[in-house]
Amino acid sequence: MAWAVSPEADHPVAALLGALCGAALWFVFDISRAARALRWMRFDPPQGQPLQRGVWGELLERVQRSLRTRDREIIDCEKRLNDFLSALQASPNGVVLLDPQGRIEWCNQTAASHFGLDLKRDLQQTIGNLVRDPGFVSYLASRDFDQELLMPGRDNRPGRPIRLSVQLYPYGGGRLLLLSRDVTAVEQAEAMRRDFVANVSHEIRTPLTVLSGFVETLQTLELSAEERDHYLSLMAQQSARMQSLVNDLLILSRLEGSPPPGVEVWSSVPLLMRQLLQDGQALTQVMNGTEHPLHEVHADCQFAGQISGIAQELHSAMGNLVSNAIRYTPPGGRIDISFRPSQDGQAVFKVADSGPGIAPEHLPRLTERFYRVDRSRSRETGGTGLGLAIVKHVAQRHGATLTIESQLGKGSRFRITFPASRLRPAD
Ligand code: ADP
């Protein structure tokens, strides 16, 4: 049987076939473009967009644009995170970030040296395994972080204590922020303050007890005029002792609270030396109770110029050294006071005595407040234990240094070396 297709029917079928073929071709073409697009997207990051036109071209263009925006955001975030970590790194306090299991996620250099951690090796290690101080271990286990913990630092040694203040702060999703602070200096200052208050109280209580004892004696006992005078003179001695202690304390607190002396006020060095010699000679006469001195006191001034600073402070510091030399040197001894320029433009004020000398173990502590080698001699001669602390303070304020050289049985030499900036030669 032959197919007979009428010309009327031929046109729509051909058209349909043509349309189908076209659609199939378009489909294949589109699939291949989609495959190219997919291939391109599989690269991370995608490079060189393969399709420029059509829907796929636009789609890829948009994908590429949003990828670029994402990349920029990631770079921004990373930069911000790095800035943030650099700020934490620069912190003077130790910072450790711990995950909910107590493993180290990040820590700064300060924390590493506080706890002896290695910045790379110890990441992801449990902090409780690395910091084995018992106080820290139980603090960590207690989960009660309201209070700070005081614990020894990693390099803590008997002669060189290191104290840390440590506190944990819970944050996001069970994590912990561990902050550590070196409080060694604060604790030492606090201990010094406590010692100072205890020393001052003790120094004042002793003469006060003696004074009130005498007052009671005077009130309760029938005394002869001679005995009365004797007690009154002892009472005067005790009150003078308290007065000089309070005076020295006031001098120290004034030195600590006032700004360093400027260089605009100049005093004559020869005049200062003459005053010091006269004061020294007067003191050794007073100690003898007659006008004959107990010691030979000599002065040698080889600098005819001027010194800048607070004249009263300089006189009191140098006078303290002279009075110490006289007070601690036995009768018949010799005291030499000198002021000499040195080759480098500096000048040295020196007090040398022929006294008993000081054992080497005491030398580093002599300028501590209330430190005395010979306690009874200091008290007998009206010492407060604050003299050398004042001298050191005055020297420092004037940019000068105090050095002490002494040997048992060979006398002592106290030197204050003044910088060239504080000296002006005579015209
Ligand atoms: P003080 O008021 O007791 O003299 P200082 O601070 O002036 O206090 O001196 C501290 C200690 O140093 C004194 O108690 C004394 O033991 C010792 N010292 C000071 N100067 C001399 C010296 N020239 N010779 C021997 N010992 C001295």
Side-chain angles (χ1 to χ4, degrees):
M1 190 183 121
W3 287 97
V5 180
S6 71
E8 299 84 51
D10 187 20
H11 184 65
V13 171
L16 187 66
L17 276 175
L20 277 174
C21 280
L25 272 175
W26 176 254
F27 183 68
V28 171
F29 177 65
D30 207 41
I31 284 284
S32 88
R33 282 167 68 88
R36 280 171 74 191
L38 260 179
R39 247 198 326 276
W40 174 77
M41 280 195 271
R42 274 192 204 117
F43 280 105
D44 192 19
Q47 314 237 318
Q49 189 194 323
L51 302 166
Q52 304 297 335
R53 273 170 290 151
V55 179
W56 288 107
E58 191 179 334
L59 192 72
L60 293 195
E61 176 61 36
R62 281 169 190 262
V63 168
Q64 196 164 37
R65 229 180 292 152
S66 69
L67 282 177
R68 264 193 234 118
T69 313
R70 187 204 65 173
D71 286 349
R72 261 198 309 273
E73 280 171 2
I74 290 176
I75 290 171
D76 273 2
C77 275
E78 274 174 359
K79 189 176 168 310
R80 245 175 291 145
L81 180 67
N82 281 336
D83 288 349
F84 185 65
L85 291 179
S86 309
L88 289 181
Q89 196 62 270
S91 158
N93 295 333
V95 181
V96 186
L97 306 181
L98 301 172
D99 72 7
Q101 283 70 44
R103 287 182 301 229
I104 301 170
E105 288 188 319
W106 185 87
C107 84
N108 68 359
Q109 186 61 54
T110 313
S113 61
H114 281 171
F115 299 110
L117 302 174
D118 184 307
L119 283 181
K120 286 194 183 121
R121 192 196 56 211
D122 292 336
L123 285 187
Q124 295 308 319
Q125 301 294 317
T126 309
I127 186 97
N129 293 339
L130 300 172
V131 182
R132 299 302 306 159
D133 174 69
F136 182 77
V137 172
S138 58
Y139 179 66
L140 199 60
S142 72
R143 310 300 293 175
D144 175 10
F145 308 134
D146 288 347
Q147 301 290 322
E148 61 175 3
L149 167 78
L150 288 173
M151 60 177 274
R154 169 74 174 185
D155 294 328
N156 182 57
R157 267 176 252 129
R160 200 173 147 267
I162 294 185
R163 302 282 297 159
L164 297 180
S165 156
V166 170
Q167 191 155 11
L168 279 156
Y169 300 89
Y171 74 103
R175 291 186 152 78
L176 290 169
L177 169 69
L178 170 61
L179 295 184
S180 60
R181 198 158 46 94
D182 189 330
V183 290
T184 315
V186 179
E187 287 215 336
Q188 275 170 354
E190 179 55 23
M192 271 169 69
R193 192 193 62 78
R194 271 197 309 268
D195 286 354
F196 182 67
V197 171
N199 276 325
V200 171
S201 316
H202 176 76
E203 293 291 330
I204 290 185
R205 198 182 52 193
T206 316
L208 255 185
T209 315
V210 180
L211 258 182
S212 55
F214 287 146
V215 169
E216 211 180 298
T217 313
L218 286 173
Q219 281 172 333
T220 50
L221 294 182
E222 285 285 321
L223 298 171
S224 66
E226 219 172 277
E227 284 170 325
R228 260 185 116 72
D229 283 353
H230 175 65
Y231 281 119
L232 284 172
S233 88
L234 290 177
M235 286 167 74
Q237 263 176 30
Q238 294 304 322
S239 65
R241 191 175 144 194
M242 278 202 294
Q243 212 160 13
S244 48
L245 175 69
V246 172
N247 279 345
D248 278 0
L249 285 171
L250 284 175
I251 291 175
L252 263 181
S253 92
R254 230 176 291 136
L255 288 176
E256 280 173 344
S258 58
V263 284
E264 50 294 327
V265 182
W266 294 87
S267 323
S268 156
V269 172
L271 199 68
L272 185 61
M273 288 293 284
R274 254 202 305 281
Q275 278 172 357
L276 290 170
L277 178 65
Q278 280 167 8
D279 294 348
Q281 282 169 338
L283 177 64
T284 178
Q285 284 168 351
V286 169
M287 281 175 71
N288 201 16
T290 69
E291 63 189 38
H292 298 292
L294 267 185
H295 310 86
E296 263 184 69
V297 186
H298 298 270
D300 170 27
C301 180
Q302 293 187 6
F303 184 80
Q306 295 176 313
I307 186 165
S308 78
I310 300 176
Q312 199 192 346
E313 284 185 19
L314 293 170
H315 181 255
S316 128
M318 294 171 172
N320 255 319
L321 295 183
V322 176
S323 106
N324 275 357
I326 294 172
R327 284 168 41 231
Y328 293 106
T329 301
R334 180 183 166 116
I335 286 94
D336 283 288
I337 314 166
S338 63
F339 199 107
R340 294 187 184 128
S342 57
Q343 278 175 348
D344 49 8
Q346 300 184 326
V348 181
F349 169 77
K350 180 168 114 178
V351 179
D353 63 53
S354 60
I358 303 162
E361 66 270 22
H362 297 293
L363 293 179
R365 300 197 57 191
L366 284 188
T367 54
E368 283 176 24
R369 290 159 193 208
F370 298 113
Y371 189 83
R372 292 162 167 122
V373 181
D374 186 343
R375 196 161 278 275
S376 57
R377 178 109 189 100
S378 165
R379 290 239 167 83
E380 266 168 38
T381 56
T384 58
L386 295 173
L388 290 180
I390 292 175
V391 176
K392 188 179 171 191
H393 231 299
V394 170
Q396 277 175 346
R397 279 163 60 74
H398 286 80
T401 46
L402 168 70
T403 42
I404 308 171
E405 208 186 291
S406 189
Q407 243 178 309
L408 272 181
K410 296 202 172 156
S412 311
R413 282 154 299 283
F414 290 77
R415 288 186 182 81
I416 304 179
T417 307
F418 289 98
S421 56
R422 291 225 167 247
L423 301 162
R424 189 158 74 180
D427 289 338

